[in-house]
Amino acid sequence: MEQPRFFIPALEGVRALAALGVLTAHVAFQTGAGWQWLWGRLDLWVAVFFALSGFLLWRRQALAARQDVGGVRPSVGRYYRARFVRIMPAYWLVVVTVLLLFPGGQRLSWEGVLSNLTLTQVYVPLSLTDGLTQMWSLSVEGAFYLLVPLAAWVLWGLRGKRARWRIPTIGVVCALFLGWAWVPLGQVWEPLGDLNGQMQFPAFIPWFGVGMLLAEVWADCFLGLREHRGVKALVQVGWLNPVVVAVLFLVAAQPFMGPAAFVEPSPRAFALRMVMGVEIAFFCVAPLVVGPVGARHPILCSGVLQALGRWSYGIFLWHLVALWAAFQILGVPLFSGHTLGVWVVTVVVTVPLSAASYALVEEPLRRRLRAWEARRVVAASGGEAAAAPEAIVAAPSVTVEAALESAPGATVAAPAEA
């Protein structure tokens, strides 16, 4: 039986669609577009980005737990270095640009400036500013990046034959955090009362968790340990999955899901959004990672969507700057309509900026880090060449990380775009 691959090109296409979806949500909000009840719910593409991060960053842990030989874990230092280089340099470039050019950035307090530079803005009141408001989701994702090694350590006892308990354990934790919106943060600790608990990392654990669960399922399938026929049955009919996603978005746009604008919903409405986000993320990601082997995805794997997927982090970083520029170029005020024109100009400005970010900042720095890591491996092995990637699946868990790093784009998880 053919095994799933490390690199899944269709995920790049999903990332591109999600990036454009969130960009559209922000354009619709700032232009006061009609059908706001529908366009506003495109913010649920954030769930897909969080799930992608959960899948791509957790699967090395899932594989290591099933291939444990001698109890060696994937390198924490290497993981943090890769995350830092992937995220922070391009992010800092945008933050400095906005802080210098946007009036709101120039009025920020030093606490606000520091929080934006350190990705802690969701933990500092009144630190979100024009051109950087979308970074709340990157702040949430940054917390996930930091905590992945801790979660791996907590679950390290569930390895080998006990790995079958990892899926129910992660599932239970995700289910518990669906109730986060009801936690009275201000009563737990008074300073927390000034923060929006619905923008904190714990609130989004279910969205990251669905990706982690899919990583566990994928690892079983990759190693031929379990079939997971129930999960596969849900996504077996390829053409049906986009229909299911569209229906879920329509349901999410209904009044009982709370306001579509950027308004804090009730705890019940927020919990419903979390559930809907889990379902949308599942039907966007699961068909591509555990669906029928050999299934073709011509649209997702097209050249345009593959390119936009590679540039999706830049789209996330720059699209509000481009949206501001679109209003200036067209000479129209906020909330005055002209949605289509503003959308077109925003995309036209965003895409080149994103491509430049990828070509001039993101990819060169990642190449340099990979070269540096390779030199460290050679030095540590006394100058001997690293093992061939083909031998990695059968090797100890320490080599699982090398396998994932060797696959182009395998561990590139673009942050959530919101």
Side-chain angles (χ1 to χ4, degrees):
M1 181 179 64
E2 187 179 356
Q3 291 177 324
R5 293 176 299 168
F6 278 104
F7 178 52
I8 305 170
L11 293 182
E12 292 280 74
V14 169
R15 219 194 313 263
L17 293 178
L20 293 176
V22 175
L23 180 151
T24 300
H26 288 156
V27 169
F29 173 73
Q30 294 202 19
T31 59
W35 287 37
Q36 187 64 232
W37 61 273
L38 179 59
W39 302 125
R41 282 286 68 85
L42 292 178
D43 62 358
L44 284 175
W45 279 111
V46 176
V48 178
F49 282 106
F50 284 3
L52 283 171
S53 290
F55 172 76
L56 292 168
L57 297 181
W58 188 253
R59 62 181 178 169
R60 66 181 60 201
Q61 305 294 344
L63 281 176
R66 288 159 175 79
Q67 294 182 290
D68 178 50
V69 179
V72 183
R73 302 171 187 163
S75 168
V76 173
R78 185 176 184 177
Y79 163 80
Y80 280 133
R81 289 190 294 271
R83 288 293 87 204
F84 181 87
V85 169
R86 177 71 179 99
I87 300 303
M88 297 308 295
Y91 170 73
W92 280 334
L93 177 61
V94 177
V95 170
V96 171
T97 300
V98 170
L99 292 180
L100 291 178
L101 299 182
F102 278 54
Q106 297 171 10
R107 292 193 296 267
L108 269 183
S109 65
W110 70 267
E111 294 98 334
V113 171
L114 184 61
S115 67
N116 277 279
L117 290 172
T118 57
L119 272 181
T120 56
Q121 51 267 63
V122 299
Y123 310 106
V124 178
L126 304 177
S127 61
L128 294 175
T129 185
D130 292 344
L132 297 175
T133 53
Q134 82 278 28
M135 302 301 185
W136 75 264
S137 63
L138 186 56
S139 182
V140 170
E141 191 139 5
F144 175 70
Y145 295 159
L146 288 173
L147 294 174
V148 163
L150 176 61
W153 177 78
V154 170
L155 292 178
W156 189 241
L158 300 180
R159 64 186 189 275
K161 293 182 178 180
R162 294 188 294 273
R164 66 182 183 276
W165 293 105
R166 294 169 67 89
I167 289 177
T169 300
I170 295 171
V172 168
V173 172
C174 291
L176 289 175
F177 276 94
L178 287 173
W180 176 259
W182 280 277
V183 176
L185 295 179
Q187 296 179 22
V188 175
W189 188 36
E190 186 174 351
L192 295 178
D194 296 329
L195 301 178
N196 182 355
Q198 295 178 4
M199 297 180 70
Q200 309 299 311
F201 164 71
F204 299 96
I205 285 177
W207 289 1
F208 291 107
V210 67
M212 295 168 67
L213 289 170
L214 287 173
E216 296 286 340
V217 172
W218 176 90
D220 278 336
C221 296
F222 185 86
L223 298 173
L225 299 178
R226 292 177 62 189
E227 288 289 335
H228 291 283
R229 294 178 180 174
V231 175
K232 291 183 177 180
L234 289 174
V235 296
Q236 191 67 31
V237 183
W239 63 266
L240 186 59
N241 297 305
V243 175
V244 172
V245 171
V247 170
L248 289 172
F249 269 111
L250 286 174
V251 173
Q254 301 310 306
F256 66 85
M257 297 294 295
F262 297 100
V263 178
E264 184 174 341
S266 67
R268 176 181 174 276
F270 184 81
L272 287 174
R273 288 187 194 180
M274 292 298 104
V275 172
M276 199 62 64
V278 166
E279 295 174 352
I280 289 172
F282 175 85
F283 282 101
C284 283
V285 179
L288 308 179
V289 302
V290 296
V293 175
R296 298 177 60 84
H297 306 282
I299 296 177
L300 294 177
C301 294
S302 65
V304 172
L305 288 187
Q306 289 292 296
L308 291 176
R310 287 193 298 274
W311 305 335
S312 61
Y313 183 40
I315 293 174
F316 160 68
L317 292 176
W318 289 103
H319 78 275
L320 286 190
V321 173
L323 178 54
W324 173 83
F327 283 109
Q328 311 307 311
I329 292 170
L330 296 175
V332 297
L334 291 169
F335 308 111
S336 63
H338 308 282
T339 301
L340 180 59
V342 173
W343 185 89
V344 170
V345 175
T346 300
V347 171
V348 168
V349 175
T350 298
V351 171
L353 286 173
S354 306
S357 173
Y358 180 83
L360 302 178
V361 181
E362 300 167 44
E363 189 61 15
L365 290 176
R366 288 173 56 220
R367 283 201 203 101
R368 291 185 182 182
L369 177 63
R370 285 197 296 266
W372 183 79
E373 296 285 6
R375 289 194 297 269
R376 289 183 73 247
V377 170
V378 172
S381 62
E384 298 178 2
E390 294 81 5
I392 286 175
V393 173
S397 59
V398 67
T399 61
V400 168
E401 185 173 13
L404 290 167
E405 292 290 354
S406 69
T411 57
V412 180
E417 278 104 63

